[in-house]
Amino acid sequence: MTDHPTPPVRADGDRLVWRGGGEVLVVEPWGRDSVRVRATVLGDVEDTDWALLPPDPEAHDDARVEIRPDGATLANGGLRVELTTSSWFHEPVGYEVFRCDLAFYDAAGRLLFRELGRGGSLDLRARHFRPRAGGDGHELTVAFEADPDERLAGMGQYQQHVLDLKGSTFELAHRNSQASVPFVVSSAGYGFLWHDPAIGRATFARNRTEWHAESTRQLDYWVTAAPTPAAISRNYADATGHAPMMPERGLGFWQCKLRYASQEQLLEVAREHRRRGLPLDVIVADFFHWPHMGDYRFEDEFWPDPAAMVAELRELGVELMVSVWPQVALSSENFAFLRQNNLLVRTERGLDVQMSFEGPSVFLDVTNPEARAWLWETCRRNYGEHGVRTFWLDEAEPEFGVYDYDAFRTHRGSYLQVGNVYPQHFARAFADGQRADGETEVVNLVRCAWAGSQRYGALVWSGDISSTWEDLARQVTAGIHMGVAGIPWFTTDIGGFHHGDVADPAFHELLVRWFQFGAFCPVMRLHGDRLPYEKVTAADGSRRLRSGGPNELWSFGDAVYGVLERYVHLREALRPYVREVMRAAHLDGQPAMRGLFHDFPDDLHAWEVDDQFLLGPDVLVAPVLEPGAREREVYLPAGASWADAATGEVHDGGASVVVDAPLDVVPVFFRDGALTHLVGRTAGTT
């Protein structure tokens, strides 16, 4: 060390600012028990609003700062941040080096995590900005030292059956069936949001945690500290937005297939539901009901009177959901206008074609507010005016034909810098437009999400997964992690999307088990591209995109129908409970589908159970995830008593039980005397 002065930390109101070595670092309170950290090189930090909302000043009116000779402290409720400054003469480079290190503590003074130290002669940097060629931002790696024994959950949806994320690495990028939502909760008592939509990577190793952005303008993350996952979820929802109250149509059963090819075909399915007395809230007109991708309207021959269709469905008590893709085909009636007005994502090298499905197409640039306004106005005119108010926002990642993220540019910057915000803005286009038109009950099905998507009424499903037992198991952990990441509305394609054969007994077993799982998901939705396929031909003999095979409850034989019928009625009986679960998601930021650890964080084993989940606080579900299984082991968390929903037998928590699981029964347990009126319903008795 030398006698040269170390650049001090300065207080700017209740935020702390440090400058040194060409870097600017800002730490400030941002909501209850929370702080936001930003840093940049030779400039001022930007007030980006990718996901974080402006904080409520009253939420941190007791925040206090203290300046010390070697740094400063910021305390905000249950979180304390220590900034420690240092300098030394760096012999190899021949000049003074300045450093400011961060460490995060809870209210009891327990270290939660800290930035990676210098490591003596290793000369490590916790915040490593590396300029990119061309000067468009920096490549950034941020490294932390964390508890090697902590357990982690969150990060959105990745197709893996892994509950504890410690030891895992994640691509920070979206793909079909992958939704990267970079918020993680630690058993050590903190939550961490990487507030940067850049393409990158997150690694949770035992020796360090690293967040990496391939191109960014600044470091930006948010930290909260609280003693329970429930409190962390509450703080995170306050910071990034609460989901709206789930509309009534989101509480029951949704019917889909690939694809109802005509108005009459769709209506006949809804009529048959009513003839059979089957509950049905939503039915779906899937993709290629349009003439060309990007036309955003029904093709007249197959859908001659959409308004009459919607009116009949309403008389049946059913809502219509319509698929909307963000792709615009080069053959679309809207392509020339959108290209001329710079409302499309731009390809920066090679041919300006970003996907080819039934013809070459490019993506609408929903990061541009003009494009969002145009999209909603077009969909309002062609769908909304017919009475459609629920939309299926497919391809929301977006799904590039080749995921060369560095090849594209949007209104808000290069795709490397901003690409992960795309699905959030896609959902926003519809939510903003619908709300401006007076719609108060927004729920739209979206194939991808990012932080903050929940506030736009995004119901996220897990993408085009396959009809396999492995994929079924992955959806259990996917739903848990999406809930932790602040997206409480989650669903899957019951039965899987790819390759289920309507006539195959092996698929029937998988479908039944998936349907049982789906009955307890936040939203219950049957969908899939079934075999055998069905050809679709226009009156003039020209080809249209094929349809999949039948996918209705009665499509798989009488034995299967008997089980599915019972569970769709059970879902209807659960409606009052699901409504209260959704109210807690809306008001308190709690996940609807959650891991056992959420309500039982002191039960260490609850952090390890990866094949069960809770729907709200009172319903424990143990789906059968293996073919041929007719019993399974179920862990019951400590701190509660649990009644077997099939038999009514009560067990103390803190132990495992082996229960019968014949093909028509999914193991379910009710907590502490809840839902006693439903005992026997899972076993087909009353």
Side-chain angles (χ1 to χ4, degrees):
M1 301 295 291
T2 73
D3 293 332
H4 297 289
T6 299
V9 178
R10 301 185 184 277
D12 178 11
D14 57 5
R15 74 177 193 166
L16 298 172
V17 181
W18 176 82
R19 289 180 169 86
E23 183 183 10
V24 177
L25 173 69
V26 177
V27 183
E28 60 189 307
W30 204 275
R32 179 177 49 217
D33 309 316
S34 308
V35 299
R36 184 180 184 182
V37 177
R38 284 174 285 179
T40 191
V41 176
L42 289 179
D44 295 323
V45 298
E46 299 178 359
D47 289 327
T48 51
D49 59 355
W50 302 116
L52 289 172
L53 299 172
D56 179 359
E58 295 182 0
H60 50 73
D61 56 8
D62 62 344
R64 60 190 185 280
V65 299
E66 176 187 349
I67 304 298
R68 307 186 311 272
D70 66 340
T73 301
L74 168 59
N76 181 25
L79 178 63
R80 190 179 90 241
V81 188
E82 297 284 351
L83 290 73
T84 303
T85 59
S86 59
S87 66
W88 63 94
F89 189 81
H90 197 301
E91 290 286 356
V93 300
Y95 56 75
E96 198 85 1
V97 174
F98 303 103
R99 185 177 178 116
C100 183
D101 294 293
L102 304 181
F104 299 82
Y105 299 83
D106 67 10
R110 182 172 55 92
L111 177 66
L112 299 172
F113 64 95
R114 61 167 44 127
E115 286 187 326
L116 183 69
R118 181 191 174 198
S121 297
L122 293 173
D123 204 16
L124 303 174
R125 282 184 280 179
R127 304 183 298 273
H128 187 188
F129 290 90
R130 181 177 181 179
R132 289 187 60 86
D136 188 14
H138 286 77
E139 185 177 357
L140 170 65
T141 301
V142 184
F144 301 96
E145 300 172 1
D147 181 354
D149 297 321
E150 69 180 343
R151 293 173 173 86
L152 300 173
M155 293 299 295
Q157 171 185 275
Y158 292 82
Q159 292 303 324
Q160 57 184 28
H161 190 44
V162 177
L163 183 65
D164 180 6
L165 305 182
K166 192 73 168 183
S168 299
T169 187
F170 296 93
E171 178 189 45
L172 299 179
H174 307 308
R175 297 172 181 260
N176 184 344
S177 76
Q178 176 174 299
S180 177
V181 188
F183 179 68
V184 65
V185 169
S186 169
S187 61
Y190 68 88
F192 184 104
L193 169 67
W194 181 246
H195 190 234
D196 190 333
I199 305 301
R201 182 182 64 255
T203 301
F204 305 108
R206 287 179 59 83
N207 61 333
R208 73 178 63 172
T209 295
E210 286 190 352
W211 296 85
H212 176 78
E214 292 193 21
S215 179
T216 190
R217 299 177 64 87
Q218 67 180 16
L219 164 68
D220 192 350
Y221 63 85
W222 177 88
V223 181
T224 192
T228 65
I232 292 171
S233 294
R234 187 176 304 117
N235 291 349
Y236 180 63
D238 289 346
T240 61
H242 289 240
M245 179 60 193
M246 173 61 82
E248 196 68 21
R249 63 187 181 277
L251 305 181
F253 176 65
W254 293 21
Q255 172 63 38
C256 309
K257 66 163 281 184
L258 187 130
R259 63 185 178 93
Y260 294 120
S262 70
Q263 175 175 326
E264 183 59 27
Q265 189 181 65
L266 182 146
L267 283 171
E268 185 54 33
V269 171
R271 295 167 188 151
E272 183 65 18
H273 266 262
R274 289 297 173 253
R275 284 194 286 266
R276 292 172 178 259
L278 295 171
L280 178 63
D281 278 18
V282 174
I283 194 168
V284 183
D286 200 351
F287 66 167
F288 286 93
H289 62 263
W290 48 71
H292 297 93
M293 185 103 71
D295 288 350
Y296 300 113
R297 63 180 176 87
F298 288 104
E299 184 171 9
D300 293 341
E301 177 182 336
F302 296 91
W303 309 86
D305 195 344
M309 172 176 59
V310 172
E312 180 177 344
L313 289 172
R314 289 265 170 84
E315 290 179 359
L316 295 171
V318 180
E319 289 278 345
L320 177 66
M321 180 167 69
V322 172
S323 174
V324 174
W325 284 33
Q327 282 101 314
V328 179
L330 276 60
S331 58
S332 169
E333 63 193 19
N334 296 313
F335 176 78
F337 170 83
L338 295 169
R339 172 66 74 203
Q340 180 181 0
N341 288 275
N342 295 335
L343 300 180
L344 300 171
V345 173
R346 178 186 174 189
T347 305
E348 302 238 81
R349 63 175 185 265
L351 292 174
D352 197 359
V353 172
Q354 295 151 14
M355 191 189 185
S356 186
F357 193 99
E358 297 289 294
S361 61
V362 294
F363 286 94
L364 192 68
D365 184 3
V366 294
T367 74
N368 186 334
E370 292 184 26
R372 293 198 299 270
W374 177 89
L375 176 61
W376 171 245
E377 177 57 34
T378 304
C379 289
R380 177 195 355 183
R381 182 175 64 252
N382 294 330
Y383 300 123
E385 290 183 4
H386 298 309
V388 177
R389 60 175 183 151
T390 308
F391 294 89
W392 181 357
L393 308 183
D394 209 337
E395 290 285 316
E397 299 80 24
E399 185 182 10
F400 293 113
V402 178
Y403 290 108
D404 284 341
Y405 301 109
D406 62 343
F408 309 109
R409 179 168 293 275
T410 73
H411 173 78
R412 300 222 33 192
S414 72
Y415 202 87
L416 280 183
Q417 287 189 7
V418 307
N420 284 331
V421 81
Y422 189 99
Q424 186 218 73
H425 283 336
F426 191 25
R428 179 180 180 179
F430 284 80
D432 283 354
Q434 289 173 289
R435 288 166 177 165
D437 285 351
E439 177 61 68
T440 59
E441 297 185 333
V442 174
V443 53
N444 294 312
L445 184 67
V446 191
R447 203 174 72 181
C448 196
W450 195 68
S453 287
Q454 71 278 358
R455 64 183 185 245
Y456 299 117
L459 163 60
V460 183
W461 99 96
S462 53
D464 294 347
I465 53 179
S466 294
S467 298
T468 67
W469 291 93
E470 293 81 5
D471 274 17
L472 171 57
R474 289 168 184 159
Q475 305 326 298
V476 176
T477 43
I480 291 171
H481 289 307
M482 285 294 280
V484 173
I487 312 293
W489 298 358
F490 174 80
T491 187
T492 75
D493 290 352
I494 290 177
F497 180 72
H498 291 296
H499 308 312
D501 189 331
V502 173
D504 183 0
F507 175 67
H508 293 171
E509 181 182 8
L510 175 64
L511 176 70
V512 165
R513 292 307 195 186
W514 211 313
F515 201 88
Q516 293 167 345
F517 163 63
F520 294 91
C521 281
V523 169
M524 183 185 189
R525 172 177 157 273
L526 179 63
H527 184 55
D529 184 14
R530 305 290 175 239
L531 297 170
Y533 299 147
E534 299 175 4
K535 292 183 179 180
V536 179
T537 306
D540 63 2
S542 60
R543 169 193 171 276
R544 294 295 186 272
L545 180 70
R546 67 165 179 81
S547 172
N551 194 50
E552 291 71 45
L553 272 66
W554 51 85
S555 302
F556 310 98
D558 291 343
V560 172
Y561 176 73
V563 181
L564 305 191
E565 178 188 28
R566 178 151 53 82
Y567 276 90
V568 78
H569 282 292
L570 174 59
R571 175 67 182 210
E572 194 63 22
L574 281 166
R575 181 182 289 265
Y577 176 74
V578 176
R579 185 184 299 116
E580 292 311 306
V581 170
M582 291 300 190
R583 197 180 312 281
H586 166 52
L587 296 176
D588 202 37
Q590 300 305 302
M593 179 178 176
R594 56 185 73 165
L596 306 188
F597 58 82
H598 184 85
D599 289 87
F600 301 92
D602 295 331
D603 183 339
L604 295 181
H605 187 60
W607 290 87
E608 301 171 355
V609 178
D610 63 1
D611 59 354
Q612 303 172 206
F613 66 95
L614 293 166
L615 175 62
D618 296 330
V619 178
L620 185 153
V621 186
V624 176
L625 305 175
E626 297 178 358
R630 296 298 182 262
E631 65 176 21
R632 68 152 292 173
E633 184 177 3
V634 181
Y635 180 72
L636 305 175
S641 63
W642 299 93
D644 189 321
T647 67
E649 183 179 359
V650 178
H651 305 267
D652 292 330
S656 294
V657 296
V658 176
V659 296
D660 290 335
L663 184 58
D664 65 338
V665 174
V666 59
V668 174
F669 289 79
F670 299 143
R671 176 181 178 179
D672 292 336
L675 299 167
T676 54
H677 64 289
L678 294 181
V679 169
R681 293 292 294 270
T682 61
T685 60
T686 57

